[in-house]
Amino acid sequence: MSEPQLSYEQARAELASVVERLEAGGGTLEDSLALWERGEQLADICQRWLDGARARLEAARAAREES
Amino acid sequence: MTQPETPKSTPEEPWPVRVVSQKIGSWVSKLGWVWVDGQVAQISRRPGASTVFLTLRDPSADLSLTVTTNRDVLDIGAPELNEGARVVLHAKPEFYAARGTLSLRADEIRQVGLGELLARLEKLKKLLAAEGLFARERKRRPPFLPSRIGLITGRSSAAERDVLTNARRRWPAVEFRVVNVAVQGPTAVPQMIDALKVLDGDETIDVIIIARGGGSVEDLLPFSDEALCRAVFDCRTPVVSAIGHETDIPLLDYVADVRASTPTDAAKRIVPDLAEETRLIGLARQRLGRAVTGLLDREQHRLDAVRSRPVLARPHVMIEQRATEVGALRDRAARSLDHKLAAAAGDLRHTLARLRALSPAATLERGYAIVQRADGQVVRAPSDVAKGDELRVRLAEGDLSAAVTDSPG
């Protein structure tokens, strides 16, 4: 997966709109599937950002405990 | 009597000492009578002698003059005059040729009372204020954590101890450069001004404290001295004044950059408390951590919430939905097809029946036959055909072909 260029906020905002469109329904099957895939991808990006942030936090805390 | 004009002195023709000292004497007396303000540093009253010798010091500068006066002048003007007293005297400079000494001959001495001194102080205060020496915007803030503190105070005085112990208790690593000075009496001001110059010139010092314990109004007068105030005002380094008790407010307090009520208070203001600072930093760090983790948790919850929406969590729903739709459509299609078929079958049967009813087959069954010309025209009358025409005869079970042999009429 390429390095997510989207910022966390951008990914989350797009995810919200994807979900909205999916829930509104009415799209073609093909579109709905594509939307669903995009939604999953965005959710992963967000999760990666959150995990990254938590990791940095832990690393900083660990580094401080050692020093 | 005018002095005979003696020729200019030259190396070849120098003036004898008597001429020089005589000239000095005349020059000196040109000053005439003056009123002098000063502080009595020494009094020497020899029993039986009518002349009294005084040493008069300048309150701000390291200068003094000897004063000779008559005992009665002293007794009348300033009875029980003691050392350290502030006096105003009316005197004329005298050059005592015999030993080449200069002194002031006083014919009137007045002791300056405390009231007078305080009145002068008020006047000075207004003057300095008018000049802007007390201006708030000129005051500089000492650094939060001074690397080195200059301290001007009495040698091994309570003030010195208070400042040092309190500062070190709060911040053990604090560094001091102490300059001990007289903190009362005539020599106080000049020494303090010198100490200020030394400490102000020292680059490593970033704040100077002038500290003194409690004392009488007279004791604290040096800390309202104009020269000292101006010296403090001109300092590059911020100056903290910590004089006397809470209630004592010498002029130095107005000029200094920071006014501490007591030496201990000065230590508290100038040196942060290590324990307190570390605690605050720890607190700040905790809040920092909590803020970030709080943010992360909140965002995680939001993401989980979004991910649990059916459209994401159970995408097959979307497909099933469509599948059921398709299934439903298919059923409908099938059902409507059945209907159509059934209807069509019904129609067919119906039309067939009608066809059959109209169709000649039954008649043919009963032995009739249909005669057609070659062009398919049904022959209804002999005139429809002519002799020799080819005919087609349709019977119940098949066809024949025939020809017209005779066509009557």
Side-chain angles (χ1 to χ4, degrees):
Chain A
M1 241 322 257
S2 68
E3 179 51 41
Q5 318 77 347
L6 286 180
S7 78
Y8 173 76
E9 283 68 25
Q10 286 164 330
R12 202 193 63 201
E14 194 184 332
L15 176 58
S17 87
V18 158
V19 170
E20 250 163 57
R21 282 173 17 223
L22 268 175
E23 286 182 339
T28 67
L29 177 59
E30 183 47 35
D31 290 347
S32 308
L33 272 180
L35 266 180
W36 176 76
E37 277 156 0
R38 179 60 180 160
E40 279 302 315
Q41 191 191 15
L42 289 166
D44 287 344
I45 293 176
C46 290
Q47 191 58 58
R48 252 204 304 289
W49 273 112
L50 290 182
D51 296 344
R54 211 173 281 279
R56 269 163 64 181
L57 200 58
E58 292 313 324
R61 196 164 288 156
R64 206 173 40 259
E65 250 108 49
E66 278 140 33
S67 66
Chain B
M1 107 218 115
T2 61
Q3 300 303 331
E5 197 45 52
T6 44
K8 271 250 159 301
S9 65
T10 62
E12 294 70 30
E13 294 205 10
W15 290 342
V17 169
R18 67 181 180 286
V19 169
V20 173
S21 65
Q22 184 269 329
K23 281 185 176 299
I24 293 175
S26 71
W27 265 105
V28 158
S29 61
K30 277 201 172 63
L31 180 64
W33 288 93
V34 283
W35 283 96
V36 186
D37 164 31
Q39 200 164 14
V40 174
Q42 267 162 2
I43 306 174
S44 51
R45 244 194 258 253
R46 278 197 297 287
S50 65
T51 11
V52 178
F53 292 87
L54 299 168
T55 322
L56 192 70
R57 287 186 62 83
D58 181 287
S60 314
D62 209 354
L63 300 167
S64 61
L65 282 169
T66 44
V67 176
T68 57
T69 184
N70 192 294
R71 197 145 32 91
D72 327 338
V73 169
L74 201 58
D75 295 342
I76 300 159
E80 318 105 23
L81 183 69
N82 43 37
E83 280 166 6
R86 193 71 175 265
V87 291
V88 166
L89 40 89
H90 184 247
K92 188 163 77 67
E94 251 183 11
F95 181 63
Y96 185 55
R99 291 211 312 288
T101 56
L102 174 74
S103 69
L104 291 178
R105 178 106 197 102
D107 68 353
E108 188 187 341
I109 296 184
R110 293 184 200 156
Q111 186 152 9
V112 177
L114 189 57
E116 158 73 9
L117 281 176
L118 293 180
R120 280 196 202 165
L121 199 141
E122 270 316 304
K123 204 147 52 68
L124 175 60
K125 182 173 166 183
K126 290 194 181 59
L127 170 74
L128 295 181
E131 275 184 50
L133 265 74
F134 304 161
R136 186 163 307 287
E137 56 280 2
R138 279 297 305 263
K139 303 235 187 273
R140 290 152 303 190
R141 273 179 52 74
F144 171 72
L145 174 58
S147 57
R148 200 145 173 262
I149 303 174
L151 174 60
I152 300 173
T153 186
R155 179 174 306 289
S156 55
S157 61
E160 178 173 17
R161 194 189 60 250
D162 287 349
V163 174
L164 294 182
T165 42
N166 279 294
R168 291 204 174 105
R169 188 165 42 73
R170 290 169 66 86
W171 195 275
V174 73
E175 268 183 49
F176 274 95
R177 176 178 172 185
V178 183
V179 177
N180 291 121
V181 293
V183 284
Q184 64 190 48
T187 55
V189 172
Q191 287 184 13
M192 282 194 282
I193 291 179
D194 291 345
L196 261 176
K197 286 205 174 50
V198 165
L199 292 176
D200 192 28
D202 181 339
E203 287 303 321
T204 64
I205 288 190
D206 33 32
V207 64
I208 298 173
I209 302 178
I210 304 178
R212 187 205 193 290
S216 69
V217 177
E218 289 86 356
D219 294 340
L220 300 187
L221 276 179
F223 298 95
S224 295
D225 178 271
E226 179 172 0
L228 178 64
C229 289
R230 291 192 186 286
V232 164
F233 186 72
D234 294 339
C235 266
R236 225 176 11 76
T237 323
V239 172
V240 177
S241 140
I243 309 301
H245 303 304
E246 181 69 41
T247 48
D248 299 319
I249 310 181
L251 293 192
L252 182 64
D253 279 359
Y254 295 94
V255 179
D257 295 288
V258 173
R259 182 217 177 233
S261 53
T262 62
T264 305
D265 180 44
K268 287 205 171 71
R269 282 167 178 266
I270 291 306
V271 173
D273 184 334
L274 178 64
E276 177 62 9
E277 292 306 320
T278 348
R279 190 179 66 81
L280 285 177
I281 291 174
L283 216 60
R285 179 167 285 157
Q286 260 174 18
R287 282 175 51 202
L288 207 61
R290 269 203 302 279
V292 175
T293 29
L295 174 70
L296 278 183
D297 294 345
R298 263 197 317 282
E299 289 305 326
Q300 186 63 57
H301 289 320
R302 284 171 65 152
L303 183 60
D304 297 345
V306 167
R307 278 199 114 137
S308 61
R309 303 296 285 255
V311 284
L312 282 185
R314 293 191 303 285
H316 50 273
V317 160
M318 210 173 25
I319 296 169
E320 268 157 24
Q321 218 171 357
R322 281 185 169 66
T324 40
E325 271 163 24
V326 165
L329 288 172
R330 186 177 298 158
D331 296 350
R332 272 175 53 202
R335 268 201 308 284
S336 65
L337 209 61
D338 291 348
H339 291 321
K340 282 200 175 61
L341 283 179
D347 288 353
L348 191 62
R349 268 197 310 284
H350 181 63
T351 352
L352 207 62
R354 278 180 51 230
L355 187 67
R356 279 212 186 88
L358 294 169
S359 89
T363 331
L364 294 181
E365 283 299 325
R366 289 201 300 284
Y368 289 91
I370 303 167
V371 178
Q372 289 173 299
R373 283 193 322 213
D375 61 6
Q377 195 63 31
V378 171
V379 176
R380 289 186 176 73
S383 57
D384 295 343
V385 289
K387 195 169 161 307
D389 283 0
E390 187 69 37
L391 293 175
R392 189 163 155 235
V393 176
R394 301 182 66 167
L395 306 169
E397 287 164 15
D399 301 0
L400 294 172
S401 62
V404 174
T405 55
D406 171 20
S407 147

